[in-house]
Amino acid sequence: MNNIIEIFLKNVEKNPSKIAVILKDKTYTYKQLQLDIEEYSYFFESSGLTKNTHTLLILENSYEFIVSMLAIANIGAVIAPLSTTLKKDAILKAISTTQSTYLITNSKIKNKLNIDAVSTLCIDTIKPNHESYKLNMNKIDISQDYILTLTSGSTGDPKPIVFTQETKINRSLLAARDLYNLDSSERIIVASPLYHSMGQRLILLPLLIGATCVLLPKFSPKLWI
């Protein structure tokens, strides 16, 4: 089975000018998304974040979250997405629980949290300088860890549930595309928080089948309708 980036690149090749993501009044094509994943991948790797590295991801529902999630898939690193509403103590506990050594966020959130226990990478500081970088250079194995979703369960202490790329692909393709007969003509609304497993699945689903993702910054009945 191909990994996430290999599947995504096939959709870029089929229709590079197709809209991949819609967010408010902005649209991003499959080709633009590819270029941005390359930018982020180069930035992350140049900053020391490499294969199997564990990193927290703290961003709002945003295009930058999508690009970061896919860049991590490309590198073969492991992300633990967290809510932007968590307090500093909870984030420090998550760092320990997930054994993370990096934090991906933006400058606004970084300044609010003021956490120095990990290396912080601010995506709003990325500068275009990756001209020769190509995706999928590492040939990532789909069976390796990809996303750590934290759940408190019945004890109140966060425990990571491990998802591989294979799990995410199967949930998108076998458990959604095939079950509901979806194809590349779909437009799929994402209103769930992207730090939640459902939000991640709804992001990956359209991008793996060549469809369009319509991302809401957050859920509201009026916006949804």
Side-chain angles (χ1 to χ4, degrees), residues 67-85:
V67 181
S68 296
M69 188 168 72
L70 291 171
I72 289 298
N74 173 60
I75 293 170
V78 182
I79 49 170
L82 299 179
S83 170
T84 58
T85 63

Side-chain angles (χ1 to χ4, degrees), residues 11-29:
N11 292 323
V12 176
E13 185 177 355
K14 287 178 186 176
N15 201 345
S17 61
K18 181 170 183 174
I19 301 302
V21 179
I22 298 173
L23 175 59
K24 294 183 178 179
D25 59 347
K26 293 186 177 180
T27 59
Y28 304 88
T29 66

Side-chain angles (χ1 to χ4, degrees), residues 7-225:
I7 298 172
F8 168 76
L9 286 175
K10 288 183 178 180
N11 292 323
V12 176
E13 185 177 355
K14 287 178 186 176
N15 201 345
S17 61
K18 181 170 183 174
I19 301 302
V21 179
I22 298 173
L23 175 59
K24 294 183 178 179
D25 59 347
K26 293 186 177 180
T27 59
Y28 304 88
T29 66
Y30 269 84
K31 186 61 179 181
Q32 183 60 56
L33 181 52
Q34 176 194 334
L35 294 175
D36 289 334
I37 297 168
E38 290 174 357
E39 292 276 14
Y40 280 45
S41 296
Y42 181 84
F43 173 67
F44 293 158
E45 289 190 326
S46 299
S47 302
L49 201 165
T50 56
K51 189 175 181 180
N52 295 319
T53 304
H54 288 202
T55 178
L56 301 185
L57 176 59
I58 305 179
L59 290 170
E60 303 89 348
N61 276 26
S62 60
Y63 178 69
E64 291 76 14
F65 192 112
I66 296 174
V67 181
S68 296
M69 188 168 72
L70 291 171
I72 289 298
N74 173 60
I75 293 170
V78 182
I79 49 170
L82 299 179
S83 170
T84 58
T85 63
L86 286 182
K87 302 300 182 183
K88 184 174 181 178
D89 288 348
I91 293 174
L92 290 174
K93 183 174 286 188
I95 290 172
S96 175
T97 301
T98 62
Q99 299 181 346
S100 293
T101 53
Y102 283 82
L103 164 62
I104 297 170
T105 188
N106 58 37
S107 298
K108 179 180 178 181
I109 296 173
K110 175 189 175 182
N111 292 336
K112 180 182 72 172
L113 295 176
N114 190 28
I115 290 176
D116 57 10
V118 290
S119 298
T120 301
L121 306 181
C122 293
I123 47 88
D124 51 323
T125 65
I126 296 176
K127 298 178 181 178
N129 57 1
H130 76 293
E131 294 178 2
S132 63
Y133 191 95
K134 300 298 180 184
L135 295 184
N136 201 40
M137 292 189 297
N138 296 327
K139 299 296 181 183
I140 302 306
D141 186 340
I142 61 172
S143 66
Q144 71 182 66
D145 297 351
Y146 173 38
I147 295 179
L148 303 178
T149 297
L150 292 177
T151 176
S152 60
S154 58
T155 66
D157 295 324
K159 297 178 288 294
I161 299 173
V162 181
F163 293 101
T164 64
Q165 288 202 27
E166 183 176 17
T167 302
K168 288 297 184 182
I169 293 169
N170 285 337
R171 286 189 168 190
S172 295
L173 302 186
L174 301 181
R177 180 198 62 185
D178 296 350
L179 181 63
Y180 299 108
N181 296 316
L182 304 178
D183 58 34
S184 61
S185 67
E186 314 293 345
R187 290 195 170 196
I188 298 173
I189 295 178
V190 186
S192 302
L194 295 189
Y195 64 82
H196 190 277
S197 181
M198 176 59 76
Q200 298 152 20
R201 194 184 320 171
L202 290 172
I203 287 295
L204 290 173
L205 172 59
L207 299 179
L208 293 181
I209 66 175
T212 297
C213 164
V214 181
L215 177 63
L216 304 189
K218 61 181 179 179
F219 175 79
S220 74
K222 181 178 181 180
L223 187 58
W224 176 276
I225 292 170

